[in-house]
């Protein structure tokens, strides 16, 4: 079963300061944690992909009616909490394992090494289009 684990720019449960405001050693510890977890999941065969994304200030939102030129809106955006910060795609045997990995991502170290309590959205990747019965 494949799952996408999504993180956003929203404040975390135990950390509301943006990473740009952290001490350099705290940023390094956070990134080192992310890399180590990625290596562990790759070694176990569970990691498909993990990426951090640029901030909302570099984002663009596109809307098109398919007939005229698309409307492109450049960041920064006031509601940046709605924007993805990164994602992990994992292939695991159970939904419980996906939740375990999400919990580890959530507890990544923040300022002064304290767990962030980052909110991680866990979504199963659909194997095909809905078949009409809600599946």
């Amino acid at each position: 079963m494949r799952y996408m684990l999504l993180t956003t720019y929203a404040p975390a449960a135990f950390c509301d300061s943006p990473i740009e405001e952290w001490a350099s050693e705290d940023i390094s510890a956070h990134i080192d944690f992310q890399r180590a977890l990625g290596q562990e999941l790759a070694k176990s065969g569970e990691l498909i992909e993990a990426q951090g994304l640029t901030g909302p200030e570099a984002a663009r939102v596109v809307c098109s009616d398919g007939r005229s030129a698309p409307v492109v809106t450049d960041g920064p955006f006031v509601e940046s909490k709605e924007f993805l910060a990164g994602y992990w795609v994992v292939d695991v045997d159970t939904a419980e394992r996906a939740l375990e990995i999400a919990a580890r991502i959530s507890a990544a170290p923040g300022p002064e090494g304290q767990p962030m309590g980052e909110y991680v959205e866990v979504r199963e990747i659909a194997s095909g289009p809905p078949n009409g019965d809600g599946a």
Side-chain angles (χ1 to χ4, degrees), residues 1-3 37-49 88-94 97-98 100-101 104:
M1 300 164 54
R2 292 181 303 146
Y3 288 86
L37 180 57
Q39 289 170 351
E40 177 186 324
L41 295 173
K43 187 175 180 180
S44 71
E46 295 174 304
L47 181 66
I48 295 174
E49 181 178 14
W88 303 68
V89 178
V90 295
D91 190 354
V92 294
D93 292 332
T94 65
R97 177 63 180 147
E100 288 172 12
I101 295 168
R104 291 186 62 197

Side-chain angles (χ1 to χ4, degrees), residues 1-80:
M1 300 164 54
R2 292 181 303 146
Y3 288 86
M4 183 172 271
L5 314 176
L6 305 161
T7 59
T8 66
Y9 282 96
F14 312 119
C15 176
D16 60 0
S17 62
I19 197 167
E20 300 84 22
E21 296 176 6
W22 297 4
S24 61
E25 61 270 12
D26 292 336
I27 294 171
S28 293
H30 182 79
I31 300 301
D32 290 347
F33 171 88
Q34 300 286 343
R35 287 184 179 140
L37 180 57
Q39 289 170 351
E40 177 186 324
L41 295 173
K43 187 175 180 180
S44 71
E46 295 174 304
L47 181 66
I48 295 174
E49 181 178 14
Q51 297 291 330
L53 304 174
T54 58
E57 68 280 354
R60 293 189 174 119
V61 175
V62 177
C63 182
S64 175
D65 63 9
R67 294 181 299 276
S68 54
V71 176
V72 180
T73 307
D74 294 333
F77 299 96
V78 175
E79 291 295 321
S80 63

